[in-house]
Every structure is written in structure tokens, then in C-alpha cells.
Amino acid sequence: MYTQLADWHGPGPWILLVPLIWIAVVFLVILALRRTVWRRRGCGFGYGAGAAAEHPLAVLGRRYAEGDIDAEEYRARRAVLSEPSRDDARGGGGGR
């Protein structure tokens, strides 16, 4: 028994893999959260596909301010975007 303990030379080089495994686990958890929970909440850190979508009226206003569309087209599109949908007018909004 004593000779077995005397011949033991420590854990060996494989012990260096343990921190790498933990780094991989943390990376995979963060990756999974970015792809699921944070994307649904709109916490996309302001870049990429995870970024929160801009409201259509804000996009329309920005396009008008940049001169992409004229005042007549802006008013027409704003009226379409602002009018209540048919489901809202009927009190619907039910689940399709």
C-alpha cells in the first residue's frame, strides 16, 4: 500500500482540461440564453438579429425626415398604419 502512494505523481496534465470544460459550459449557456430568452425579451444588446424591431410609425417618420418619401405619401401611409384593424373594430383580436 505504501509503495502505491509513493509512486503517485499528482493528477497529471489532464487536470488542465477541467477549466477548459467549464469555460465551454459557460459559453454554451450564454449562447443558449442569447438564442432564446434574451431574444424574446428584446435584450439584443442593440446589434444583430437580437435587436428590438423598430415601430413602423418610427420607421415611416425617419424615412420622411431623411427625404425618402414626400409629405403626401407620409400622410397616406401614416393614416393606413394608424387606423384600427378590422379585428380591433369588431372587438376581436381572437386567436388565429
Side-chain angles (χ1 to χ4, degrees):
M1 174 107 171
Y2 180 72
T3 58
Q4 289 177 347
L5 291 176
D7 291 337
W8 187 66
H9 297 289
W14 61 268
I15 196 71
L16 298 175
L17 292 177
V18 174
L20 294 176
I21 291 171
W22 280 110
I23 290 171
V25 167
V26 169
F27 176 76
L28 290 173
V29 166
I30 290 174
L31 184 68
L33 287 173
R34 281 191 66 206
R35 291 186 161 267
T36 58
V37 177
W38 291 341
R39 183 168 290 174
R40 266 185 264 137
R41 290 185 183 171
C43 300
F45 301 111
Y47 62 89
E54 204 173 351
H55 193 273
L57 284 174
V59 173
L60 185 63
R62 181 176 41 85
R63 288 187 62 203
Y64 177 64
E66 291 173 352
D68 292 341
I69 57 176
D70 61 351
E72 183 179 327
E73 186 176 0
Y74 170 76
R75 287 187 197 103
R77 289 185 183 208
R78 187 183 63 187
V80 170
L81 289 173
S82 298
E83 71 184 16
S85 67
R86 292 182 182 172
D87 287 340
D88 292 340
R90 287 186 301 202
R96 275 192 190 186

